[in-house]
């Protein structure tokens, strides 16, 4: 997607005025001055779904004075949130009681996912899911459907109807799950090839080769996934890695020739740039170094890790100065307990506190915006208000509830120090109620 040259375009400019916050660097490695951009009164100029101009209102006012402008005087405008790991079929089983990963999969997850054989049902949940993302200010997600090709089709179709940039791909499982959810490796391989041709790069859709995790995949299946990943280097790889101790032990039993869990995926050529590994809790330092060298990404899923009792993700190890790993924030619904990236940031902060570390509000918001875009190699298209990027953004209300009003008496402070305090309160106290509006491709999707 690019900007249509002015002389060819029949569409008009429009603009948004308000307080804008985004990132131009990485607040884990750069100072606030270098990484955070805050315009207490800014103007975002839109054209054909992309950003045509951006800057302080007083500087752009003369040039765009006649452009139709929507003004949000007491609100904060941020890039849309990006959720880099979420399961759409698990929407309806969020908050299922009392189990850790392997029992939770057997008891709740697999029976729920079996329902997605029914296309009508799958579409109904896909629609609910995408609308729920938008209600929560999430404009892009890396999504797992199920092993049924129809569950992939309806998700892409509904995402396209909403003009959302979305990444997904058929879930691969050929063992260690109920029979009705298994697909023979060769069949899945052919289905994936067709889906890549049909969906990857069509509109805003992108494809991900998605072996669920090593436990449910045979060697043949991982080998086929790896050869597809080599054939289509611009397609994503998406899976789970080292979430839970029982899962790690079972993987070691199933793949006795591999040196560790990550080595299973390495062996089949699945660890590379554009490969996203959810969780990565039970990994040693060598695995972190190898993920860094490969240019792979970790999805940090704090609400899920707490809910399923999986453990505490060592974000500080991933953000190591010598071997940094790309990390994006993720809800992992339905293991995760909220669609809200604000609630997910709050959990991330608490996970770091439990490890004697911290997470600044700028770092937290970065992980769900520019950092997430970089973790998906989409920083040329998404993540901040740079000119020519796609115009996905959200309008945040720092006073969305009586308690938030009390805590944030000034909704839009002027200084960057003060905005840090406001953002921290928003991420701890906020949820979908704090999302006043969500814009996708320059168009408003939620009610004002
Ligand atoms: N590992 C394999 N499948 C899943 C899943 O659906 N959720 C989570 N949290 N972990 C998994
Ligand atoms: Zn998951």
């Amino acid at each position: 997607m690019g900007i249509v040259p002015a002389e060819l375009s029949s569409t008009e400019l429009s603009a948004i005025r308000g307080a804008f916050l985004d990132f131009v660097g990485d607040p884990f490695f750069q100072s606030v001055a270098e990484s955070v951009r805050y315009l207490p009164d800014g103007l975002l100029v839109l054209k054909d779904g992309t950003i045509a101009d951006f800057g302080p209102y007083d500087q752009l006012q003369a040039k765009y004075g006649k452009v139709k402008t929507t003004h949000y005087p007491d609100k904060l405008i941020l890039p849309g949130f990006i959720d880099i790991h979420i399961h759409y079929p698990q929407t309806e089983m969020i908050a299922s009681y009392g189990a850790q990963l392997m029992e939770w999969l057997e008891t709740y997850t697999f029976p729920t996912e079996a329902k997605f054989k029914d296309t009508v049902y799958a579409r109904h949940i896909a629609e609910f899911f995408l609308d729920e993302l938008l209600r929560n200010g999430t404009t892009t997600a890396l999504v797992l459907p199920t092993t049924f090709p129809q569950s992939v089709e309806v998700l892409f179709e509904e995402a396209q109807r909403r003009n959302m940039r979305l990444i997904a791909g058929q879930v691969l499982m050929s063992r260690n799950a109920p029979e009705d959810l298994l697909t023979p490796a060769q069949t899945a391989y052919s289905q994936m090839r067709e889906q890549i041709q049909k969906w990857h790069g069509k509109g805003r859709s992108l494809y991900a080769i998605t072996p669920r995790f090593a436990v449910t995949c045979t060697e043949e299946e991982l080998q086929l996934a790896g050869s597809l990943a080599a054939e289509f280097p611009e397609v994503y790889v998406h899976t789970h890695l080292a979430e839970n101790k029982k899962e790690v032990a079972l993987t070691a039993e199933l793949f006795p020739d591999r040196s560790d869990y990550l080595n299973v995926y390495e062996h089949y050529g699945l660890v590379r740039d554009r490969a996203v590994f959810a969780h990565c809790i039970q990994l040693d330092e060598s695995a972190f170094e190898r993920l860094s060298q490969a240019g792979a990404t970790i999805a940090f899923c704090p609400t899920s890790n707490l809910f399923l009792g999986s453990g505490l993700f060592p974000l500080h190890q991933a953000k190591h100065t010598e071997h940094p790993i790309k990390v994006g924030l993720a809800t992992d619904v339905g293991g995760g307990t909220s669609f809200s990236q604000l609630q997910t940031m709050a959990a991330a902060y608490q996970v770091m506190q439990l490890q004697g570390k911290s997470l600044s509000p700028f770092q937290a918001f970065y992980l769900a915006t520019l950092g997430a875009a970089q973790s998906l190699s989409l920083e040329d298209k998404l993540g901040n208000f740079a000119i020519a990027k796609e115009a996905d953004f959200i309008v945040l209300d720092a006073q969305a509830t009586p308690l938030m009003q009390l805590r944030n008496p000034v909704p839009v402070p002027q200084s960057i120090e003060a905005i840090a305090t406001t953002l921290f309160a928003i991420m701890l106290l906020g949820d979908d109620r704090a999302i006043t509006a969500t814009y996708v491709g320059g168009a408003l999707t939620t009610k004002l």
Side-chain angles (χ1 to χ4, degrees), residues 85 87 90 101-102 104-105 109-110 113 144 173 212-213 216 240-241 243 247 261 278-279 301 304-305 308 310 332-336:
H85 178 80
H87 301 249
Q90 296 175 16
L101 179 64
M102 302 310 279
W104 176 83
L105 286 172
T109 314
F110 292 149
E113 293 191 7
L144 289 98
M173 289 206 282
R212 185 179 205 119
F213 62 157
T216 51
H240 296 89
L241 172 62
E243 174 178 5
E247 169 211 2
Y261 194 159
H279 309 300
C301 312
S304 166
N305 298 157
L308 292 173
S310 305
D332 191 30
V333 165

Side-chain angles (χ1 to χ4, degrees), residues 12-31:
E12 305 235 324
L13 295 176
S14 64
I16 306 285
R17 181 181 173 189
F20 290 84
L21 185 126
D22 71 348
F23 298 92
V24 292
D26 182 343
F28 286 93
F29 297 115
Q30 291 169 284
S31 68

Side-chain angles (χ1 to χ4, degrees), residues 226-287:
S227 70
L228 211 51
E231 193 183 337
F232 297 99
E234 74 289 359
V235 158
Y236 293 83
V237 173
H238 184 199
T239 188
H240 296 89
L241 172 62
E243 174 178 5
N244 166 286
K245 289 201 171 107
K246 263 198 208 175
E247 169 211 2
V248 174
L250 185 54
T251 304
E253 269 176 46
L254 292 167
F255 297 89
D257 296 336
R258 306 275 66 91
S259 56
D260 64 9
Y261 194 159
L262 178 62
N263 187 238
V264 175
Y265 297 136
E266 284 172 330
H267 183 72
Y268 296 103
L270 294 166
V271 184
R272 60 149 164 82
D273 183 38
R274 288 172 202 251
V276 179
F277 297 93
H279 309 300
C280 299
I281 291 169
Q282 321 288 342
L283 287 184
D284 64 13
E285 193 158 334
S286 139

